[in-house]
Amino acid sequence: MALIDTALGTIFGNGRNVVRETAEVFRENAEAAGDRATARHLAALHQFGGEFVPPARGRFDRLMDAINRLPRPALALGTLGLFVAAMVDPVWFAARMQGIALVPEPLWWLLGAIVSFYFGARHQAKGQEFQARIVHSMAQVPTVVDNLAQLRRVGAETPGVARSDGDADLTLDALTPERNPALEAWRHGGGLR
């Protein structure tokens, strides 16, 4: 019994596992490999996440962004509010419109220019994007025309018929069935009478 205890103590004693340590020389420990893969994936995720963190911005930048987002909704909601005001209190609405009628024409031109520049920049950017898509589509027209010409040459007007365009060998190959050894063996073996 002491011999067995000594042998097992040598192999598994002192909190070590000699068999496992020896096997890990030849084969990777799956648990340790999983831990390393998890650490690698987490490091990659942290790196990718760091790329999308916006730079630190001060109060002024946040305030300017908030102010920049106000004009479009304010104009849209203000216009809807004018319609509601005209229906709720027509006399109040008419008095306000009389005040707008007194605004001088150069001030209207200035307002028009400001609104045009504000909304025109977005319209121009979207228009240029649309034109770029059209140019991309038009660049593909020769390829599409070429593909259509090739499809017409194939001759797929009638299902099951191939056009040989006067090539006698091709016509004979299309009309002569191929040899089928399995079918011939079945016919000669008495399977077909």
Side-chain angles (χ1 to χ4, degrees), residues 144-186:
V144 171
V145 170
D146 217 19
N147 290 343
L148 288 173
Q150 288 179 3
L151 287 172
R152 286 189 189 106
R153 281 195 297 265
V154 169
E157 292 88 16
T158 355
V161 176
R163 188 168 27 181
S164 61
D165 290 332
D167 187 353
D169 292 334
L170 187 57
T171 303
L172 286 175
D173 285 344
L175 296 176
T176 307
E178 293 183 10
R179 186 172 166 272
N180 188 339
L183 184 58
E184 290 173 11
W186 181 68

Side-chain angles (χ1 to χ4, degrees), residues 119-131:
F119 291 106
R122 178 174 165 80
H123 176 72
Q124 182 179 4
K126 292 293 183 181
Q128 288 174 342
E129 181 182 320
F130 176 70
Q131 289 175 351

Side-chain angles (χ1 to χ4, degrees), residues 15-90:
R16 294 178 52 213
N17 188 337
V18 176
V19 174
R20 181 179 53 105
E21 291 173 5
T22 305
E24 285 178 358
V25 170
F26 300 106
R27 185 173 184 281
E28 182 181 25
N29 184 332
E31 185 177 352
D35 290 342
R36 287 190 298 272
T38 301
R40 185 176 64 244
H41 288 297
L42 286 175
L45 285 174
H46 286 300
Q47 178 184 356
F48 290 145
E51 292 177 11
F52 295 103
V53 172
R57 297 174 17 179
R59 288 183 184 178
F60 179 76
D61 289 335
R62 291 193 305 255
L63 176 68
M64 293 313 297
D65 282 345
I67 290 172
N68 193 23
R69 291 181 180 148
L70 287 179
R72 285 188 203 129
L75 284 171
L77 293 174
T79 304
L80 291 175
L82 287 175
F83 281 103
V84 170
M87 289 185 283
V88 170
D89 190 358

